[in-house]
Amino acid sequence: MTCIRTILFFLLLVPVGLSAAVIRTGPDSLLQHALDRAQPGDTILVAPGHYKQHEIVVRTPVTLIGESYPVFDGENKYQILIVSADNVRIQGITVQNTGRSSMVDMAGIRLQNVSRVTVSNCRVLNTTYGIYLQGSKFCVIENNEIRSSATDELQAGNGVHAWKSDSLLIRNNKISGHRDGIYFEFVTGSAIIGNISTNNVRYGLHFMFSHNDGYSRNTFRHNGAGVAVMYSKHVVMVGNTFGEHWGDASYGILLKDISDSRIEHNQFAHNTIGIFMEGSNRIHVLRNTFNANGWAMRVQASCEGNTIETNNFTENSFDVATNGTLMLNTWRNNYWDKYEGYDLNRDGTGDVPYHPVSVYSILSERIPSTMILYRSFLTNIIDQAEKIMPSIIPDQLRDDSPQTKKWKL
């Protein structure tokens, strides 16, 4: 048996070792010609230079390496690199200036119905779509700079766009200036880790109909809004930073019609709304920090079965807002810096419940123009009276075990 395995090992490896070659190409020759004569396993080294070449198709499993970031230029008319073979590796090249079309989603690098393709350490500049994955599996997009300058979401594409794909890893990329930094539609079993997504017109990250995915240790800052998770389930959101998302309808995370997911150990700072929840059920929100937001959380009455526990709420204008009176979610063991109760036995848990919805947030929800009176003497009196005898705020929305000391998160 051992002998048979040894023979199989050499049968698999020796032919590749004998046939694999290194092919060099430069600006005076077409990369397409080098790709067409390459054999599976070959490496193509691309010399530095400016290549006005486009619609380049990779049909063979090769490694494509750029030396000092050679530039492939679509001249604002064309797509640039299209991969249609499995097991391709691309690294160290620059693609820039794709065309724009209402008929074709033009991309700097397009992965088309492939598996186990890696794109790493590339620069993707001024493209409609940066890296576009279509019907692809087990692909890795890592350590790339993907930068554009979109100002209008209707005329722009996404930095990393994935459609009907599975088991992707999107890691350590810097993405800015697109419609959405990263966009998932019908994508399952994938991970988004350690990316920095900033200054995108709409969202830093956007999920649609994508299940069993996760994103962790990413930074979302200065986007139209941080992350939108819509019509999805089993999404894990851990260790991310959401900051500086300001605007009438902006937020750190939007949850719309999602279920059975987890939001843990994230930082929400300086957003109009930290988390906005609508039609979302069985979400576990724990060990997050909400600091200096307009609203830390807005939980619509259409949400139920959610648990919000062990979070820190500090320096927010409003801790929680809702548009209903019936509350079917659980709030417990959170730290609220506005809590004014007492802790006679000094066990770290307040002796009276905390109602995180202020009467003024209810009034501003119903009559937005009342915001002009925010922090006036009158509103302070109303808030104090409501805390003594709740009549307007939903008294079922309360934390029965508020913490008197901030959690070390």
Side-chain angles (χ1 to χ4, degrees):
M1 187 67 180
T2 302
C3 181
I4 294 173
R5 287 178 176 172
T6 304
I7 293 171
L8 288 173
F9 177 81
F10 280 104
L11 285 174
L12 288 171
L13 293 186
V14 171
V16 173
L18 289 175
S19 61
V22 176
I23 302 170
R24 292 185 176 275
T25 185
D28 296 332
S29 58
L30 292 176
L31 174 60
Q32 188 67 67
H33 289 171
L35 288 166
D36 289 345
R37 71 172 188 267
Q39 297 298 312
D42 285 355
T43 296
I44 298 175
L45 297 179
V46 183
H50 194 102
Y51 295 71
K52 290 187 177 179
Q53 300 177 21
H54 47 80
E55 307 285 353
I56 303 163
V57 182
V58 184
R59 301 185 180 88
T60 307
V62 298
T63 298
L64 183 64
I65 300 175
E67 299 176 315
S68 301
Y69 292 98
V71 177
F72 287 86
D73 196 329
E75 303 180 80
N76 297 309
K77 297 178 182 177
Y78 310 102
Q79 295 190 87
I80 299 171
L81 198 58
I82 302 165
V83 180
S84 62
D86 299 339
N87 300 304
V88 171
R89 296 181 63 87
I90 300 171
Q91 64 185 62
I93 66 170
T94 300
V95 296
Q96 67 180 28
N97 300 333
T98 63
R100 301 182 190 279
S101 168
S102 58
M103 302 297 292
V104 178
D105 293 339
M106 290 201 171
I109 301 174
R110 176 184 290 273
L111 311 185
Q112 196 163 281
N113 302 314
V114 297
S115 65
R116 303 186 190 284
V117 171
T118 298
V119 180
S120 62
N121 299 296
C122 291
R123 295 172 180 167
V124 183
L125 309 176
N126 190 32
T127 56
T128 303
Y129 289 83
I131 299 175
Y132 196 113
L133 300 102
Q134 171 186 342
S136 297
K137 298 180 178 180
F138 302 106
C139 295
V140 178
I141 309 299
E142 62 180 357
N143 300 321
N144 301 288
E145 179 184 359
I146 305 169
R147 177 162 44 90
S148 193
S149 55
T151 56
D152 179 358
E153 67 180 69
L154 294 177
Q155 301 297 319
N158 305 315
V160 175
H161 181 104
W163 180 71
K164 279 195 173 181
S165 296
D166 186 16
S167 304
L168 307 177
L169 174 58
I170 315 297
R171 181 169 60 188
N172 297 339
N173 301 284
K174 294 180 180 178
I175 308 168
S176 65
H178 292 80
R179 178 172 57 202
D180 296 338
I182 302 170
Y183 179 80
F184 273 17
E185 184 173 0
F186 299 108
V187 177
T188 56
S190 297
I192 299 168
I193 302 172
N195 301 280
I196 300 174
S197 184
T198 60
N199 296 296
N200 296 289
V201 177
R202 191 167 62 178
Y203 304 124
L205 168 63
H206 190 183
F207 286 87
M208 292 288 286
F209 310 106
S210 295
H211 312 309
N212 302 306
D213 298 311
Y215 63 94
S216 62
R217 293 185 280 111
N218 302 280
T219 297
F220 304 100
R221 186 176 296 119
H222 290 296
N223 301 287
V227 175
V229 186
M230 301 180 178
Y231 312 108
S232 302
K233 57 187 178 183
H234 300 295
V235 178
V236 177
M237 303 163 249
V238 177
N240 303 284
T241 298
F242 305 84
E244 305 296 341
H245 297 111
W246 294 114
D248 290 344
S250 192
Y251 35 73
I253 300 180
L254 165 67
L255 305 177
K256 183 174 176 57
D257 291 293
I258 84 162
S259 61
D260 302 296
S261 297
R262 182 159 56 94
I263 301 174
E264 183 176 359
H265 268 303
N266 300 282
Q267 302 274 339
F268 299 87
H270 303 280
N271 304 283
T272 300
I273 305 170
I275 298 177
F276 184 96
M277 301 175 67
E278 181 179 4
S280 297
N281 307 313
R282 300 180 299 281
I283 313 298
H284 198 177
V285 181
L286 72 159
R287 304 185 74 79
N288 301 283
T289 297
F290 298 87
N291 182 64
N293 300 283
W295 287 263
M297 295 184 68
R298 296 186 75 163
V299 183
Q300 302 299 85
S302 56
C303 300
E304 63 176 292
N306 302 293
T307 300
I308 300 94
E309 62 177 334
T310 327
N311 302 285
N312 286 329
F313 291 83
T314 59
E315 300 181 29
N316 301 293
S317 298
F318 300 109
D319 289 324
V320 179
T322 184
N323 62 346
T325 56
L326 183 62
M327 185 50 56
L328 303 173
N329 305 299
T330 300
W331 303 75
R332 63 191 176 207
N333 299 331
N334 298 289
Y335 172 78
W336 312 88
D337 65 347
K338 297 183 182 66
Y339 181 63
E340 296 176 345
Y342 41 83
D343 178 15
L344 294 179
N345 61 0
R346 298 181 182 278
D347 64 353
T349 300
D351 295 339
V352 295
Y354 176 67
H355 294 83
V357 179
S358 70
V359 65
Y360 201 67
S361 71
I362 296 288
L363 292 175
S364 63
E365 186 80 21
R366 297 174 182 175
I367 311 172
S369 59
T370 59
M371 281 299 294
I372 196 171
L373 297 174
Y374 179 57
R375 293 191 177 179
S376 68
F377 178 68
L378 174 64
T379 60
N380 288 336
I381 292 177
I382 295 173
D383 257 340
Q384 293 299 325
E386 186 70 17
K387 287 179 181 177
I388 297 171
M389 292 183 294
S391 58
I392 297 176
I393 62 172
D395 62 344
Q396 294 180 43
L397 198 165
R398 66 175 185 263
D399 189 335
D400 289 326
S401 52
Q403 298 301 294
T404 56
K405 294 182 180 178
K406 190 188 299 184
W407 291 102
K408 294 180 180 178
L409 303 177

